[in-house]
Amino acid sequence: MDLGLVVEFISEHGYLALFSSFYVCLLGLPIPNEILVMTGGIISTMDHFQPLLTFFIVYLTVILNATILYLVGRKGGNRLLQKLERFKKINRNVQGASIYIQKYGGYAAALSYGLPIMRHCIPFLMGTYQYSYLSFARFSYLSALVWTSVLFLIGRYFGSKIESIGENLHQIGGAVLILLLGVFFTKVLKRYFRQKNLNF
């Protein structure tokens, strides 16, 4: 999707377009979330957009997206996971997020914003695993506030460079995720072979 078209649409139609466009894009359209939130910072520099209100709307779309994923997981997560099992890539991402939650508990919601894909999977799985809403919201909303604030300010003051900055942040987040999964699976394999040796 051409991000320029999104900005043009928002600039012509105002705050309602800002909210609806950002919410739809955050659902999973092929625009890195980092670049999208930084674009909110650029939009806040336009004459007819008030910075604080623009930030609030961008932040609202971020936490609303996470909250709906949490609620979907809470109401029908297990059924949905059964249907998604045949999709290997999705199943692999779900397993990674599940490992992350088992290791960090509620803190996984806070840490997930720095990790692509995990920021979508973890709220859904926290709902599926029946974490309380207060536990989810306490970690998720505060972390979202920090994450959104940093990216929004980068977009506002370094707007001309957001594409390269966003891509780098996206790649770094992916590299961190791969590293964490690698460490976990290494521990699992070591434990497996240690137990196997004990059985002989």
Side-chain angles (χ1 to χ4, degrees):
M1 176 178 282
D2 187 350
L3 198 55
L5 293 176
V6 175
V7 174
E8 184 179 348
F9 174 73
I10 292 170
S11 65
E12 290 178 359
H13 296 91
Y15 292 112
L16 183 59
L18 173 66
F19 174 82
S20 59
S21 298
F22 270 57
Y23 180 71
V24 169
C25 289
L26 285 169
L27 283 176
L29 291 183
I31 299 174
N33 292 169
E34 294 85 356
I35 292 178
L36 187 66
V37 175
M38 285 190 283
T39 300
I42 294 177
I43 291 170
S44 73
T45 64
M46 297 178 178
D47 291 337
H48 46 294
F49 284 91
Q50 205 277 332
L52 286 178
L53 181 56
T54 303
F55 171 79
F56 174 75
I57 292 173
V58 172
Y59 173 65
L60 183 62
T61 62
V62 170
I63 62 171
L64 181 62
N65 180 60
T67 302
I68 289 178
L69 288 169
Y70 167 83
L71 292 174
V72 169
R74 194 168 179 86
K75 296 298 181 183
N78 288 317
R79 291 194 301 273
L80 189 55
L81 285 177
Q82 290 174 359
K83 293 179 180 179
L84 294 174
E85 280 181 352
R86 64 180 183 273
F87 299 103
K88 291 183 179 180
K89 185 175 182 180
I90 294 176
N91 200 34
R92 190 163 57 245
N93 291 331
V94 168
Q95 288 176 350
S98 181
I99 290 166
Y100 208 57
I101 293 172
Q102 290 172 15
K103 186 172 184 179
Y104 297 107
Y107 289 102
L111 299 171
S112 67
Y113 283 94
L115 301 172
I117 303 174
M118 293 297 103
R119 68 177 68 105
H120 299 290
C121 291
I122 286 176
F124 170 76
L125 288 177
M126 289 188 74
T128 303
Y129 298 154
Q130 300 299 304
Y131 275 76
S132 71
Y133 172 74
L134 288 178
S135 177
F136 159 75
R138 178 178 55 173
F139 292 106
S140 181
Y141 293 177
L142 180 59
S143 179
L145 179 62
V146 174
W147 181 78
T148 305
S149 298
V150 171
L151 294 175
F152 187 89
L153 289 173
I154 290 174
R156 182 169 173 82
Y157 295 106
F158 303 97
S160 61
K161 300 177 181 178
I162 67 163
E163 189 168 347
S164 60
I165 294 172
E167 289 293 346
N168 288 332
L169 288 173
H170 193 73
Q171 291 172 6
I172 290 169
V176 170
L177 174 60
I178 291 169
L179 179 62
L180 288 173
L181 292 176
V183 169
F184 177 82
F185 285 119
T186 300
K187 289 183 178 179
V188 170
L189 288 172
K190 284 183 177 178
R191 186 178 301 170
Y192 170 77
F193 286 117
R194 191 180 299 122
Q195 290 176 347
K196 191 173 182 181
N197 290 332
L198 290 174
N199 290 333
F200 282 107

